[in-house]
Amino acid sequence: MDPTEHMAAGPRDTENAIVTEDAEPVVIDVRDLVTHYPGNAEPTLKGVNMRIYPNEIVCIMGGSGSGKSTLLRQIMALDRPTSGQVRILGHDLSAIGHRDMHELRKKIGVAFQGGAMFNSMTVGENLKLPLREHAKLAEEQMDIMVRMKLAFVSLDPETALKLPSELSGGMLKRAAMARAIMMDPGLLFCDEPSAGLDPAVSAALDDLILKLRDVMGMTIVVVTHERASAFKIADRIVILDKGKILMSGTLDELRATGPKRVQDLLDGVPEETEVANWI
Amino acid sequence: MEHEVREEHGLSIAAFRGDIDFNTSPEARRVLLELVENRQDLMVDMSSVDYIDSSGVASLIEAFQSAKTTGSRFGLVAVSPPALRVLQLAHLEKVLPIYDSVAAAADA
Ligand SMILES: Nc1ncnc2c1ncn2[C@@H]1O[C@H](COP(=O)(O)OP(=O)(O)OP(=O)(O)O)[C@@H](O)[C@H]1O
Ligand SMILES: [Mg+2]
């Protein structure tokens, strides 16, 4: 059976995830991933190994420039790795065919750091794009879904009628989140979903992420700087530092056994610069 | 998804079984809207719904709104726990009339 079938069917995901040699189901399997952007002296990702399991909320944390967005782009198949392998729901991204990729995209929701909406169409039309691409629904059905998902992210349903340019940064971010969950994806990626939002909205987004996991059975990967948010929602925190995974585990595990750099990141202590490297 | 329509206690009962998802919700929508257009008092038996996604929820809401304009009754009966959790996620459990059984819906 196609391991990706029924990915959206929530609580049954576990049965349909791929089973690895050690008999654990895995949603995302990253192996020895190296990403070296042309022109850069050093690779951005220097051999990353990471697994994400069904129904987990994983927060990827790390300093600015540590490679978080790059890692996310790699597991969303937006960029090709320099070397190494990324498997999602059993598909090796370097060998996946066009049709499988289309099927995979249907099951993946993505909320980008910047929002990324088409400015020529209303927010509602932007939200309907994934529905038009992947499903055959009546216009009325889609309109109701748009209003429902806007409400999920604490936006007024009338936001659907506005143009993206008429929204504030925080509203755009939430609209991008609403668009990411239009197809009830089995796998959701969010890059900085709550950065810059007011505390009440940010807390509401945290609750939404938890509920999407609990009720819809989503597996969710969140890149975040917001420590309070990560501590609240993460089953597991992956700490990225200078292109490598420094540590991965529950908050308690990181607290109990993490080296100083991990503790500093968890405490929000800035990295010390040993030498004046700017001269 | 399978469905069956029956009459009970003077109500039309549309019973769905299985998954109301992106693939099947257009069919669920067609069935519900047709019954509502015939101005029948309609209860959706959700006891055997294993899974409902947002497109399925949207079909229920559309039928509910349509029933309001035609002046007929619309409600859900015996909603299965997984379906109820999805309705609660959308805060619909207090908006859509939900009954424990067809008999309870008939008495209401
Ligand atoms: N397209 C690109 N071309 C060249 N270099 C890039 C590109 N994208 C990222 N980089 C470099 O890779 C490094 C990591 O960038 P990345 O955006 O992954 O960091 P980040 O951890 O997401 O940071 P932030 O927290 O600020 O969002 C940076 O040094 C950046 O300059
Ligand atoms: Mg980033």
Side-chain angles (χ1 to χ4, degrees):
Chain A
M1 191 183 135
D2 172 4
T4 64
E5 214 164 292
H6 269 115
M7 187 59 208
R12 283 166 300 179
D13 288 357
T14 319
E15 294 167 26
N16 295 296
I18 28 162
V19 177
T20 52
E21 315 87 70
D22 40 31
E24 276 186 289
V26 177
V27 176
I28 300 174
D29 193 357
V30 177
R31 299 218 177 169
D32 305 321
L33 181 67
V34 174
T35 307
H36 195 162
Y37 288 112
N40 287 5
E42 278 194 45
T44 292
L45 298 178
K46 299 166 186 155
V48 168
N49 287 284
M50 178 176 77
R51 280 183 177 177
I52 297 197
Y53 300 96
N55 230 243
E56 264 194 316
I57 298 176
V58 173
C59 286
I60 301 178
M61 301 185 75
S64 182
S66 57
K68 304 181 298 294
S69 293
T70 301
L71 178 58
L72 207 55
R73 290 181 63 81
Q74 292 282 351
I75 56 184
M76 296 183 310
L78 294 173
D79 286 329
R80 286 187 160 266
T82 307
S83 64
Q85 199 189 41
V86 179
R87 294 177 72 85
I88 297 191
L89 297 165
H91 294 282
D92 178 349
L93 292 187
S94 66
I96 192 168
H98 184 75
R99 185 185 287 258
D100 282 345
M101 193 65 207
H102 188 261
E103 280 303 300
L104 197 57
R105 289 241 174 267
K106 198 175 7 188
K107 299 175 177 110
I108 299 179
V110 178
F112 281 109
Q113 208 163 0
M117 296 253 163
F118 289 105
N119 274 313
S120 55
M121 46 176 98
T122 62
V123 171
E125 279 305 318
N126 269 285
L127 264 60
K128 283 185 201 168
L129 282 178
L131 301 179
R132 292 195 200 284
E133 187 182 349
H134 295 294
K136 287 196 186 73
L137 304 175
E139 211 59 37
E140 293 86 347
Q141 225 177 337
M142 292 196 281
D143 283 329
I144 294 170
M145 290 171 74
V146 164
R147 295 169 69 86
M148 175 162 54
K149 298 298 162 99
L150 286 173
F152 275 20
V153 297
S154 321
L155 282 176
D156 190 305
E158 303 311 314
T159 311
L161 306 173
K162 301 206 159 148
L163 289 170
S165 55
E166 297 175 284
L167 267 50
S168 73
M171 290 164 85
L172 262 183
K173 229 176 192 60
R174 284 181 278 159
M177 178 75 165
R179 186 183 51 187
I181 57 173
M182 283 309 289
M183 285 292 296
D184 298 331
L187 182 52
L188 177 65
F189 295 119
C190 315
D191 200 353
E192 305 277 1
S194 53
L197 298 181
D198 78 59
V201 171
S202 169
L205 271 195
D206 286 342
D207 284 342
L208 174 66
I209 287 173
L210 286 167
K211 281 187 195 152
L212 289 174
R213 188 271 305 275
D214 294 341
V215 178
M216 306 303 285
M218 292 187 193
T219 303
I220 305 178
V221 182
V222 182
V223 164
T224 184
H225 279 122
E226 309 289 310
R227 291 174 302 122
S229 162
F231 298 168
K232 184 169 152 196
I233 62 175
D235 296 309
R236 203 149 59 83
I237 295 174
V238 171
I239 305 240
L240 204 59
D241 192 35
K242 302 188 181 81
K244 283 192 171 155
I245 289 183
L246 203 54
M247 205 178 166
S248 149
T250 63
L251 179 60
D252 288 346
E253 285 164 357
L254 299 187
R255 282 295 191 197
T257 61
K260 178 163 185 302
R261 179 79 191 115
V262 168
Q263 305 298 341
D264 282 353
L265 271 163
L266 294 176
D267 292 332
V269 175
E271 191 181 3
E272 292 164 36
T273 317
E274 293 114 34
V275 289
N277 59 2
W278 48 270
I279 354 178
Chain B
M1 181 198 79
E2 289 163 31
H3 81 276
E4 169 196 282
V5 180
R6 61 179 197 269
E7 298 286 323
E8 230 175 88
H9 297 280
L11 296 165
S12 289
I13 314 295
F16 293 94
R17 176 181 294 278
D19 296 354
I20 310 181
D21 59 16
F22 278 98
N23 295 319
T24 59
S25 67
E27 168 72 359
R29 171 180 185 268
R30 191 190 58 74
V31 169
L32 295 175
L33 289 182
E34 208 172 278
L35 289 164
V36 170
E37 269 157 31
N38 291 336
R39 297 172 182 274
Q40 298 174 32
D41 286 335
L42 175 63
M43 292 294 144
V44 186
D45 179 344
M46 307 259 297
S47 57
S48 298
V49 173
D50 301 321
Y51 173 75
I52 184 165
D53 70 9
S54 2
S55 73
V57 173
S59 307
L60 296 178
I61 299 174
E62 193 182 348
F64 169 65
Q65 289 173 335
S66 173
K68 256 205 229 167
T69 55
T70 61
S72 54
R73 285 185 70 193
F74 179 90
L76 312 179
V77 295
V79 181
S80 66
L84 186 61
R85 281 199 299 275
V86 175
L87 295 173
Q88 285 165 340
L89 175 63
H91 300 297
L92 289 167
E93 78 280 10
K94 293 187 188 82
V95 183
L96 295 173
I98 299 180
Y99 307 98
D100 290 339
S101 64
V102 173
D107 286 345

